Amino acid sequence: MTPLGILRYLIKGLTGETSPSQAGGGLALGILLGLIPKANLTAQLILVLIMSLRVNVGIALVAATFASLARPVANLIADPAGLWLLTKVPALQPAWTYLYNVPVVPWTGFNNTLVIGNLALGLALFIPFYVTGKKLAVLYNSTIKERLAKSAFVKALKASWLLDCYFKYSG
Amino acid sequence: MRWSYIISRITVLFLVWALFFFGMDPALRWSLRRAGEAAAGAKVEIAGLKTRIFPPSLVITGMQVADRSDPFKNLFQFDSLAFKMEGKPLLEKKFVVKDASLLGLKLGTKRDISGALHRQLESKSFAAFEKLKQKTKEFSIAKTGEAKTQAYEQVDITASSLETTRLAEKIKADFAAQSAAWKEKTDSAKFNERLEAIKAGLEKLKSQQDVVSRVAAANSMREDITKLKSEIETSKNLLDSTLKQAGGSLSSLEEARRKDLEGLLAKLKIPSLDTRSLTGFLLGPETAGRVGTALHWLEVSRSRMSNAPAAKAKVREKAGTVIHFHKEHVYPSFLLKNMAITGEMPSGDGQPPLRLEGTAEGFTSQPAVYGKPAVLRLNGSGSGRKMSLLAELDHTGEIPRDRLGMSMEGFPLRNMEAGSDSSLLIRTSGGKGSVSSLLEMRGENLDGKISLKAEGIRLEAKAAEPNINALLSKALTGDRNVQASISVSGTLDDPSMSASSDLGEILANALKSAAGKELEERKKEIEAKLDAAVKPVKDGLAAQMKEKEKELLDKANLNSSKISELQNKLLNKLKLDKKSIIPEGLKIPGLKW
């Protein structure tokens, strides 16, 4: 197999899940991954989760990139929210203390206000983004996809190998 | 299941892992360099950095930290720094270095490329000591020609422009506030009310027939009187200390007057020619630079090794706040248990470099968790020279305390310069010198002493005016021993330094004879003008303080005598009662006269 062939094979694998729920799942998990600071185990676990579940990885990675760019704004809410969760909710204190005492768990960065705050924010946004992603996928599959494929712009782009293989394998 | 599904995902995960695996060392090296530059305010270079997971370790090689005040010199450099970390704390994301070694440490080595950075370093100590350095440099000497032509009558010597007046006004306001507070305490209606209540109680006691309740009432009154008396005594002591403090602050006016005089003489380009100013001019800039650097590093250590809210707030902006929860055997986030140091210090006189050996213990990001101060020891000796450095950083309590002691003995003093060639420059040749210094920083308060000793040195003076030059050369002929001492005090924001030396005295005498009577007369004239401007304020303050002192003491004594009088009355009353009511020798249980 040529290098281009390998790349096509990989892209096919990553963009194969195109049902509305798989696209919605990819969007919601991608947003969650993008919001969380990356140098901790939580972000790595979410990445592994994205790779293990049958979600659209392409959408997830694009969503993660955009969410990462929006993180400075999200931090304005996430930082105080994280501080509140970690210090001001007595009911959660035993759980935090327990987790703090479990080996390896501190590497998740759960005791960092930005990690826990953004995780909470990402989880709160999970359902809305999942539903939005699903609806957008339905809309795309029913109306936009065909029109887009027929447009002169895409036809011209199809000459390029990257989009060619996308349209070839995305069903 | 499709193979492309599995392989593509594994590939992405592998790419992420590879990014971390291969990118961690360069990223860590970059972060270390940036953090080092932010702390040093000068360029930091790192030749190599290697991390290992099994066993967990970190090795940094070829690190150079440039000197901010002398960009073509390195503050220090080392060949390698190796950390071996404990595995168990790593599981808890705690970096505990059990053994470390710093090899090939070199201090003050030369650089080929400038180590200056374009961005400004934010450092309280650097800024404060730079100001102090400039102040000591301002001293103008041997420009008698200019002094003669200055229209000194035009220099502003009005009361409002002087530091002495400003300080006097401040003392006045402080004293007024303190005395008002004290007056309010003694004049308060509460005190009078209590006094009246005791008086009334005493009157009531006379009419009481029942012996037991009379004794009980008398006991209660006795307690009230004792309590009030002790409160009055405490207030009197407070007044005494307030008055003593006020007296002490009056003496600080003398220091302000001296500074005002120095400022005026500098404006008129008339050298003050006193020992302290001359020593300050010669040794001040260099000392201020070095002390500023030392304090800057203590400041850096405080920001990295403190649990103070300010340090936390800084972390919050960038990477969030890490909250620590209860744990039985807790490790600090970072701890350097023990590090062995070896290296050398260049001698600069053709002699072999001084071999250095030392240790660093207890350097941690959470001193309160570790509970022990961080200690750095560095010793060196060889070829009749000795060097020792001891830094003790105690950030375990609420108020951080840092001590930095350094001593050097037997160091050559060839081609060292002090002063400035625009007014007076002293150059040394031959001889040996020793320095011992102890600098302490408790909270923001500074306290330090630096002693310098030079033996068998030859001094050469270069002044702007030829006649002064000749006189100074004559005064400085032959080998001599010189001693100097510099004191550092004040706070990190507002430090102050004072210096004295026998060299200053020699130079002052020589300059006085060179500048002749003329300068002395001009100086006296300025002094008289200054005193005339300051006198009304100083006299006013002294008179006001005397008046207030009398008023407050009278009041305090009056209160004291009132309460003593009441106490005597009560005691007399009790004595009489006891005689008339209880037969001699009879003891009634529970009754206390």
Side-chain angles (χ1 to χ4, degrees), chain A residues 9-10 12-14 16-17 38 44 47-48 50-55 57 79 83 86-87 93 96-97 100-101 103-104 106-107 110-114, chain B residues 1-5 7-13 16 20 89-95 316-328 330-331:
Chain A
Y9 183 73
L10 291 177
K12 180 190 159 191
L14 292 176
E17 319 301 330
K38 305 296 174 290
Q44 313 309 315
L47 183 71
V48 170
I50 290 171
M51 296 302 155
S52 330
L53 295 174
R54 296 199 67 176
V55 293
V57 176
D79 195 27
L83 193 67
L86 289 168
T87 59
Q93 289 301 306
W96 300 138
T97 310
Y100 190 73
N101 282 273
V104 186
W107 284 99
F110 80 92
N111 57 338
N112 182 300
T113 52
L114 284 183
Chain B
M1 191 173 279
R2 287 175 298 171
W3 275 108
S4 68
Y5 173 87
I7 291 171
S8 58
R9 279 157 172 76
I10 289 174
T11 309
V12 172
L13 288 176
V16 172
F20 271 89
L90 262 183
L91 293 175
E92 296 171 22
K93 209 186 170 185
K94 302 290 170 74
F95 301 90
R316 283 181 66 89
E317 284 169 25
K318 287 180 179 175
T321 308
V322 173
I323 311 291
H324 295 281
F325 296 92
H326 175 73
K327 195 167 170 65
E328 259 187 35
V330 68
Y331 299 101

Coordinates of all heavy atoms in Angstrom, one line a residue, chain A residues 9-10 12-14 16-17 38 44 47-48 50-55 57 79 83 86-87 93 96-97 100-101 103-104 106-107 110-114, chain B residues 1-5 7-13 16 20 89-95 316-328 330-331:
Chain A
Y9 N -7.0 5.0 4.0 CA -7.4 3.9 4.8 C -7.7 4.5 6.3 O -8.8 4.2 6.8 CB -6.3 2.9 4.9 CG -6.7 1.6 5.6 CD1 -7.6 0.7 5.1 CD2 -6.1 1.4 6.8 CE1 -7.9 -0.5 5.8 CE2 -6.3 0.2 7.5 CZ -7.3 -0.7 7.0 OH -7.5 -1.8 7.7
L10 N -6.8 5.3 6.7 CA -7.0 5.9 8.1 C -8.2 6.8 8.1 O -9.0 6.8 9.1 CB -5.7 6.6 8.5 CG -4.5 5.7 8.8 CD1 -3.3 6.5 9.2 CD2 -4.8 4.6 9.9
K12 N -10.7 6.9 6.3 CA -11.9 6.1 6.1 C -12.3 5.6 7.5 O -13.5 5.7 7.9 CB -11.7 5.0 5.2 CG -12.9 4.1 4.9 CD -12.4 2.8 4.2 CE -13.4 1.7 4.4 NZ -12.9 0.5 3.9
G13 N -11.4 5.2 8.3 CA -11.6 4.6 9.6 C -12.2 5.7 10.5 O -13.0 5.4 11.4
L14 N -11.6 6.9 10.4 CA -12.0 7.9 11.4 C -13.3 8.6 11.0 O -14.0 9.2 11.9 CB -10.9 9.0 11.4 CG -9.5 8.5 12.0 CD1 -8.5 9.7 11.9 CD2 -9.7 8.1 13.5
G16 N -15.8 7.2 9.2 CA -16.8 6.2 8.8 C -18.2 6.3 9.5 O -19.2 5.9 9.0
E17 N -18.1 6.8 10.8 CA -19.4 6.8 11.6 C -20.2 8.0 11.3 O -19.9 9.1 11.8 CB -19.0 6.8 13.1 CG -17.9 5.8 13.5 CD -18.2 4.4 13.1 OE1 -19.3 4.0 13.1 OE2 -17.2 3.7 12.8
K38 N -5.0 20.2 28.6 CA -4.6 18.9 28.0 C -3.5 18.1 28.9 O -3.4 16.9 28.7 CB -4.0 19.0 26.6 CG -5.0 19.7 25.7 CD -6.2 18.9 25.4 CE -7.2 19.7 24.6 NZ -7.8 20.8 25.3
Q44 N -6.6 12.8 28.5 CA -6.1 11.6 27.8 C -7.2 10.5 27.8 O -7.5 9.8 26.8 CB -4.8 11.0 28.4 CG -3.7 12.0 28.7 CD -3.4 12.9 27.5 OE1 -3.3 12.4 26.4 NE2 -3.3 14.2 27.7
L47 N -9.9 11.3 25.3 CA -9.4 11.0 24.0 C -9.5 9.5 23.7 O -10.0 9.1 22.6 CB -7.9 11.5 23.8 CG -7.3 11.3 22.4 CD1 -8.0 12.2 21.4 CD2 -5.8 11.4 22.4
V48 N -9.1 8.7 24.7 CA -9.2 7.3 24.6 C -10.7 6.9 24.4 O -11.1 6.0 23.6 CB -8.6 6.5 25.8 CG1 -8.9 5.1 25.8 CG2 -7.1 6.8 25.8
I50 N -13.1 8.7 23.1 CA -13.5 9.1 21.7 C -13.1 8.0 20.7 O -13.8 7.6 19.8 CB -12.9 10.5 21.4 CG1 -13.6 11.6 22.2 CG2 -13.1 10.8 19.9 CD1 -13.0 13.0 22.0
M51 N -11.9 7.5 20.9 CA -11.3 6.5 20.0 C -12.0 5.2 20.2 O -12.0 4.4 19.3 CB -9.8 6.4 20.2 CG -9.0 7.6 19.9 SD -9.3 8.1 18.2 CE -8.9 9.9 18.3
S52 N -12.5 4.9 21.4 CA -13.1 3.6 21.7 C -14.6 3.5 21.3 O -15.1 2.5 20.9 CB -13.0 3.2 23.1 OG -11.9 3.8 23.7
L53 N -15.3 4.7 21.4 CA -16.7 4.6 21.1 C -16.9 4.8 19.6 O -16.1 5.4 18.9 CB -17.4 5.8 21.8 CG -17.4 5.7 23.4 CD1 -18.0 6.9 24.0 CD2 -18.2 4.5 23.8
R54 N -18.1 4.4 19.1 CA -18.4 4.5 17.7 C -19.0 5.9 17.4 O -20.2 6.1 17.2 CB -19.4 3.4 17.3 CG -18.8 2.1 17.4 CD -19.5 1.0 16.7 NE -19.4 1.2 15.2 CZ -19.8 0.4 14.3 NH1 -20.5 -0.6 14.7 NH2 -19.7 0.7 13.0
V55 N -18.1 6.9 17.5 CA -18.5 8.3 17.3 C -17.6 8.8 16.1 O -16.6 8.2 15.8 CB -18.3 9.2 18.5 CG1 -19.3 8.9 19.6 CG2 -16.9 9.2 19.0
V57 N -14.9 10.6 14.7 CA -13.7 11.1 15.3 C -13.3 12.4 14.6 O -12.8 13.4 15.2 CB -12.5 10.1 15.2 CG1 -11.2 10.6 15.6 CG2 -12.9 8.8 16.0
D79 N -13.2 28.6 36.0 CA -12.4 28.7 37.2 C -13.2 28.9 38.5 O -13.0 28.2 39.5 CB -11.4 29.9 36.9 CG -10.2 29.9 37.9 OD1 -9.9 28.8 38.4 OD2 -9.6 30.9 38.2
L83 N -13.6 26.2 41.6 CA -13.3 26.6 43.0 C -14.5 26.3 43.9 O -14.3 25.8 45.0 CB -12.9 28.1 43.0 CG -12.2 28.5 44.3 CD1 -10.9 27.9 44.5 CD2 -12.1 30.1 44.3
L86 N -14.9 22.5 44.4 CA -13.9 21.9 45.2 C -13.9 22.4 46.6 O -13.4 21.7 47.5 CB -12.5 22.2 44.6 CG -12.2 21.4 43.3 CD1 -10.9 22.0 42.6 CD2 -12.0 19.9 43.5
T87 N -14.3 23.6 46.9 CA -14.2 24.1 48.2 C -15.5 24.5 48.9 O -15.6 24.6 50.1 CB -13.3 25.4 48.3 OG1 -13.9 26.4 47.4 CG2 -11.9 25.1 47.8
Q93 N -17.0 17.1 49.6 CA -15.7 17.0 50.2 C -15.1 15.6 50.5 O -14.0 15.3 50.2 CB -15.7 17.8 51.6 CG -15.7 19.4 51.4 CD -14.6 19.9 50.6 OE1 -13.4 19.7 50.9 NE2 -14.9 20.6 49.5
W96 N -13.9 14.2 47.2 CA -12.6 14.8 46.8 C -11.5 14.2 47.6 O -10.4 13.9 47.1 CB -12.6 16.3 46.9 CG -13.7 17.1 46.1 CD1 -14.4 18.1 46.5 CD2 -14.1 16.9 44.7 NE1 -15.2 18.6 45.5 CE2 -15.1 17.8 44.4 CE3 -13.7 15.9 43.8 CZ2 -15.7 17.9 43.2 CZ3 -14.4 16.0 42.5 CH2 -15.3 17.0 42.2
T97 N -11.7 14.2 48.9 CA -10.7 13.7 49.8 C -10.3 12.2 49.5 O -9.1 11.9 49.5 CB -11.1 13.8 51.3 OG1 -11.6 15.1 51.5 CG2 -10.0 13.6 52.3
Y100 N -8.4 12.2 46.3 CA -7.0 12.7 46.5 C -6.1 11.7 47.1 O -4.9 11.7 46.9 CB -7.2 13.9 47.4 CG -5.9 14.8 47.6 CD1 -5.5 15.6 46.6 CD2 -5.2 14.8 48.8 CE1 -4.4 16.4 46.7 CE2 -4.1 15.6 48.9 CZ -3.7 16.4 47.9 OH -2.6 17.2 48.0
N101 N -6.7 10.7 47.8 CA -5.9 9.7 48.5 C -5.6 8.5 47.7 O -4.9 7.6 48.1 CB -6.5 9.3 49.8 CG -6.2 10.4 50.9 OD1 -5.2 10.4 51.5 ND2 -7.1 11.4 51.0
P103 N -4.0 6.5 44.7 CA -2.8 6.7 43.8 C -3.3 6.9 42.3 O -4.3 6.3 41.9 CB -2.0 5.4 43.9 CG -2.5 4.8 45.2 CD -3.9 5.3 45.5
V104 N -2.5 7.6 41.6 CA -2.7 7.9 40.2 C -3.8 8.9 39.9 O -3.7 9.8 39.0 CB -2.9 6.7 39.3 CG1 -2.9 7.0 37.8 CG2 -1.8 5.7 39.5
P106 N -4.6 11.7 41.3 CA -4.2 13.1 41.3 C -3.7 13.6 39.9 O -3.8 14.7 39.5 CB -3.1 13.2 42.3 CG -3.5 12.2 43.3 CD -4.0 11.1 42.5
W107 N -3.2 12.6 39.1 CA -2.8 12.9 37.7 C -3.9 13.4 36.8 O -3.7 13.9 35.7 CB -2.0 11.7 37.1 CG -0.7 11.6 37.6 CD1 -0.3 10.7 38.6 CD2 0.5 12.3 37.2 NE1 1.1 10.9 38.8 CE2 1.6 11.9 38.0 CE3 0.7 13.4 36.3 CZ2 2.9 12.4 37.9 CZ3 2.0 13.9 36.2 CH2 3.1 13.4 37.0
F110 N -8.1 16.5 38.9 CA -9.4 16.8 39.4 C -9.4 17.9 40.4 O -10.4 18.6 40.6 CB -10.1 15.5 39.9 CG -9.7 15.2 41.3 CD1 -10.4 15.7 42.4 CD2 -8.5 14.5 41.6 CE1 -10.0 15.5 43.7 CE2 -8.1 14.2 42.9 CZ -8.8 14.7 44.0
N111 N -8.3 18.1 41.1 CA -8.2 19.1 42.2 C -7.8 20.5 41.6 O -7.5 21.4 42.4 CB -7.4 18.7 43.3 CG -6.0 18.3 42.9 OD1 -5.7 18.0 41.8 ND2 -5.0 18.3 43.9
N112 N -7.7 20.6 40.3 CA -7.4 21.9 39.7 C -8.7 22.5 39.3 O -9.6 21.9 38.7 CB -6.5 21.6 38.5 CG -6.1 22.9 37.8 OD1 -6.9 23.7 37.4 ND2 -4.8 23.2 37.7
T113 N -8.9 23.8 39.7 CA -10.1 24.5 39.4 C -10.5 24.5 38.0 O -11.7 24.4 37.6 CB -10.1 25.9 40.0 OG1 -8.9 26.6 39.5 CG2 -10.0 25.9 41.5
L114 N -9.5 24.7 37.1 CA -9.8 24.8 35.7 C -10.2 23.4 35.1 O -11.1 23.3 34.2 CB -8.6 25.3 34.9 CG -8.4 26.8 35.0 CD1 -7.2 27.2 34.1 CD2 -9.6 27.6 34.6
Chain B
M1 N -16.1 -6.3 12.8 CA -15.6 -5.0 13.0 C -14.5 -4.7 11.9 O -13.7 -5.6 11.6 CB -14.9 -4.9 14.4 CG -14.6 -3.5 14.7 SD -14.0 -3.3 16.4 CE -15.6 -3.3 17.3
R2 N -14.6 -3.5 11.4 CA -13.6 -3.2 10.3 C -12.3 -2.9 10.9 O -12.1 -2.2 11.9 CB -14.1 -1.9 9.5 CG -15.3 -2.2 8.6 CD -15.8 -1.0 8.0 NE -16.3 0.0 9.0 CZ -16.6 1.2 8.8 NH1 -16.5 1.7 7.6 NH2 -17.1 2.0 9.7
W3 N -11.2 -3.4 10.2 CA -9.9 -3.2 10.7 C -9.5 -1.7 10.6 O -8.8 -1.2 11.4 CB -8.9 -4.0 9.8 CG -8.8 -5.4 10.4 CD1 -9.3 -6.5 9.8 CD2 -8.2 -5.8 11.6 NE1 -9.0 -7.6 10.6 CE2 -8.3 -7.2 11.8 CE3 -7.5 -5.1 12.7 CZ2 -7.9 -7.9 12.8 CZ3 -7.1 -5.8 13.8 CH2 -7.2 -7.2 13.8
S4 N -10.0 -1.0 9.5 CA -9.7 0.4 9.4 C -10.1 1.2 10.6 O -9.5 2.2 11.0 CB -10.3 1.0 8.1 OG -11.7 1.1 8.2
Y5 N -11.3 0.8 11.2 CA -11.8 1.5 12.4 C -10.8 1.4 13.5 O -10.5 2.4 14.2 CB -13.2 0.8 12.7 CG -13.8 1.2 14.0 CD1 -14.6 2.3 14.0 CD2 -13.5 0.5 15.2 CE1 -15.2 2.7 15.2 CE2 -14.1 1.0 16.4 CZ -14.9 2.1 16.4 OH -15.4 2.5 17.6
I7 N -7.5 0.3 13.4 CA -6.1 0.8 13.2 C -6.1 2.3 13.2 O -5.1 2.9 13.7 CB -5.6 0.2 11.8 CG1 -5.4 -1.3 12.0 CG2 -4.3 0.8 11.4 CD1 -5.2 -2.1 10.7
S8 N -7.1 3.0 12.6 CA -7.0 4.4 12.5 C -7.1 5.0 13.9 O -6.3 6.0 14.2 CB -8.2 5.0 11.7 OG -9.4 4.5 12.3
R9 N -7.9 4.4 14.8 CA -7.9 5.0 16.2 C -6.6 4.7 16.9 O -6.1 5.6 17.6 CB -9.1 4.4 16.9 CG -10.4 5.1 16.5 CD -11.7 4.2 16.8 NE -12.9 5.0 16.6 CZ -13.4 5.4 15.4 NH1 -12.7 5.1 14.3 NH2 -14.5 6.1 15.3
I10 N -6.1 3.5 16.8 CA -4.8 3.2 17.5 C -3.8 4.2 16.9 O -2.9 4.6 17.7 CB -4.5 1.7 17.3 CG1 -5.4 0.9 18.1 CG2 -3.0 1.4 17.7 CD1 -5.3 -0.6 17.9
T11 N -3.8 4.5 15.6 CA -2.8 5.4 15.1 C -2.9 6.7 15.7 O -1.9 7.3 16.1 CB -3.0 5.5 13.5 OG1 -3.1 4.2 13.0 CG2 -1.9 6.3 12.9
V12 N -4.1 7.3 15.9 CA -4.3 8.6 16.5 C -3.7 8.5 17.9 O -3.0 9.4 18.3 CB -5.8 9.0 16.5 CG1 -5.9 10.3 17.3 CG2 -6.2 9.3 15.1
L13 N -4.1 7.5 18.7 CA -3.6 7.4 20.0 C -2.0 7.3 20.1 O -1.4 7.9 20.9 CB -4.2 6.2 20.7 CG -5.7 6.3 21.1 CD1 -6.2 5.0 21.7 CD2 -5.9 7.5 22.1
V16 N -0.6 10.7 19.5 CA -0.7 11.6 20.7 C 0.4 11.1 21.7 O 1.1 12.0 22.2 CB -2.1 11.5 21.3 CG1 -2.1 12.1 22.7 CG2 -3.1 12.1 20.4
F20 N 3.8 13.3 23.1 CA 4.1 13.5 24.5 C 5.5 13.0 24.7 O 6.4 13.6 25.4 CB 3.1 12.8 25.4 CG 2.0 13.7 25.8 CD1 0.9 13.7 25.0 CD2 2.1 14.5 26.9 CE1 -0.2 14.6 25.3 CE2 1.0 15.4 27.2 CZ -0.1 15.4 26.5
P89 N 5.7 8.9 45.6 CA 5.0 10.2 45.5 C 4.6 10.6 44.1 O 3.6 11.3 43.9 CB 6.1 11.2 46.0 CG 7.0 10.4 46.8 CD 7.0 9.0 46.2
L90 N 5.3 10.0 43.1 CA 4.9 10.3 41.7 C 3.5 9.8 41.4 O 2.8 10.5 40.6 CB 5.9 9.7 40.8 CG 7.0 10.5 40.2 CD1 7.9 9.7 39.2 CD2 6.5 11.8 39.6
L91 N 3.1 8.7 42.0 CA 1.8 8.2 41.8 C 0.7 9.2 42.3 O -0.4 9.3 41.8 CB 1.5 6.9 42.6 CG 2.3 5.7 42.1 CD1 2.1 4.5 43.0 CD2 1.9 5.3 40.7
E92 N 1.1 10.1 43.2 CA 0.3 11.1 43.8 C 0.5 12.5 43.1 O 0.1 13.5 43.6 CB 0.5 11.3 45.3 CG 0.1 10.1 46.1 CD 0.5 10.2 47.5 OE1 0.7 11.3 48.0 OE2 0.7 9.1 48.1
K93 N 1.3 12.4 42.0 CA 1.6 13.7 41.3 C 2.5 14.6 42.1 O 2.3 15.8 42.1 CB 0.4 14.4 40.8 CG 0.6 15.2 39.5 CD -0.6 16.0 39.2 CE -0.3 16.9 38.0 NZ -1.5 17.8 37.8
K94 N 3.3 14.0 43.0 CA 4.2 14.8 43.8 C 5.6 14.5 43.4 O 6.0 13.3 43.3 CB 4.0 14.4 45.3 CG 2.6 14.6 45.8 CD 2.3 16.1 45.9 CE 0.8 16.4 46.2 NZ 0.4 16.1 47.6
F95 N 6.4 15.5 43.2 CA 7.8 15.3 42.7 C 8.8 15.4 43.9 O 9.1 16.5 44.3 CB 8.1 16.3 41.6 CG 7.2 16.2 40.5 CD1 6.0 17.0 40.4 CD2 7.4 15.4 39.4 CE1 5.1 16.9 39.4 CE2 6.5 15.3 38.4 CZ 5.4 16.0 38.3
R316 N -3.5 31.3 39.6 CA -4.9 31.3 39.2 C -5.1 31.8 37.7 O -5.9 31.2 37.0 CB -5.8 32.1 40.1 CG -6.1 31.5 41.4 CD -6.9 32.4 42.2 NE -8.3 32.5 41.6 CZ -9.3 31.7 41.8 NH1 -9.2 30.7 42.6 NH2 -10.4 31.9 41.2
E317 N -4.4 32.9 37.4 CA -4.5 33.5 36.1 C -4.2 32.5 35.0 O -4.9 32.5 34.0 CB -3.6 34.6 35.9 CG -4.0 35.9 36.7 CD -2.9 36.9 36.7 OE1 -2.0 36.9 35.9 OE2 -2.9 37.7 37.7
K318 N -3.2 31.7 35.1 CA -2.8 30.9 34.0 C -3.3 29.4 34.0 O -3.8 28.9 33.0 CB -1.2 30.8 34.0 CG -0.7 32.2 33.5 CD 0.8 32.1 33.5 CE 1.4 33.4 33.0 NZ 2.9 33.3 33.1
A319 N -3.1 28.8 35.1 CA -3.3 27.3 35.1 C -4.3 26.9 36.2 O -4.3 25.7 36.6 CB -2.0 26.6 35.3
G320 N -5.1 27.8 36.7 CA -6.0 27.4 37.7 C -5.4 27.3 39.1 O -4.2 27.3 39.2
T321 N -6.2 27.0 40.1 CA -5.7 26.8 41.4 C -5.8 25.4 41.8 O -6.8 24.7 41.6 CB -6.5 27.7 42.4 OG1 -6.6 29.0 42.0 CG2 -5.9 27.6 43.8
V322 N -4.7 24.9 42.4 CA -4.7 23.5 42.8 C -5.1 23.4 44.3 O -4.5 24.1 45.1 CB -3.3 22.8 42.6 CG1 -3.3 21.4 43.2 CG2 -3.0 22.8 41.1
I323 N -6.2 22.7 44.5 CA -6.7 22.6 45.9 C -6.2 21.3 46.5 O -6.3 20.2 45.9 CB -8.2 22.6 46.0 CG1 -8.8 23.8 45.1 CG2 -8.8 22.6 47.4 CD1 -8.6 25.1 45.7
H324 N -5.6 21.4 47.7 CA -5.1 20.2 48.4 C -6.0 19.8 49.4 O -6.5 20.6 50.2 CB -3.7 20.5 49.0 CG -2.7 20.7 47.9 ND1 -2.1 19.8 47.1 CD2 -2.2 21.9 47.4 CE1 -1.3 20.3 46.3 NE2 -1.3 21.6 46.4
F325 N -6.3 18.5 49.5 CA -7.2 17.9 50.5 C -6.4 17.2 51.6 O -5.2 17.0 51.5 CB -8.2 17.0 49.8 CG -9.1 17.7 48.9 CD1 -8.8 17.8 47.5 CD2 -10.2 18.4 49.3 CE1 -9.5 18.5 46.6 CE2 -11.0 19.1 48.4 CZ -10.7 19.1 47.1
H326 N -7.2 16.7 52.6 CA -6.5 16.1 53.7 C -5.9 14.7 53.3 O -6.5 14.0 52.5 CB -7.5 15.8 54.9 CG -6.9 15.0 56.0 ND1 -6.0 15.6 56.8 CD2 -7.1 13.7 56.3 CE1 -5.6 14.6 57.7 NE2 -6.3 13.5 57.4
K327 N -4.7 14.5 53.8 CA -4.0 13.2 53.5 C -3.1 12.9 54.7 O -2.6 13.8 55.4 CB -3.2 13.4 52.3 CG -2.7 12.1 51.7 CD -2.1 12.4 50.3 CE -1.4 11.1 49.8 NZ -2.3 10.0 49.6
E328 N -3.0 11.6 55.1 CA -2.2 11.3 56.3 C -0.8 11.5 56.1 O -0.1 12.2 56.8 CB -2.5 9.9 56.7 CG -3.5 9.9 57.9 CD -3.8 8.6 58.5 OE1 -2.8 7.8 58.6 OE2 -4.9 8.4 58.9
V330 N 1.4 13.2 53.8 CA 1.3 14.1 52.6 C 2.7 14.5 52.2 O 3.6 14.8 53.0 CB 0.4 15.3 52.9 CG1 1.0 16.2 54.0 CG2 0.1 16.1 51.7
Y331 N 3.0 14.6 50.9 CA 4.2 15.1 50.3 C 4.0 16.5 49.8 O 2.9 16.7 49.3 CB 4.7 14.2 49.2 CG 4.9 12.8 49.5 CD1 4.0 11.8 49.2 CD2 6.1 12.4 50.1 CE1 4.3 10.4 49.4 CE2 6.4 11.0 50.4 CZ 5.4 10.1 50.0 OH 5.7 8.8 50.3

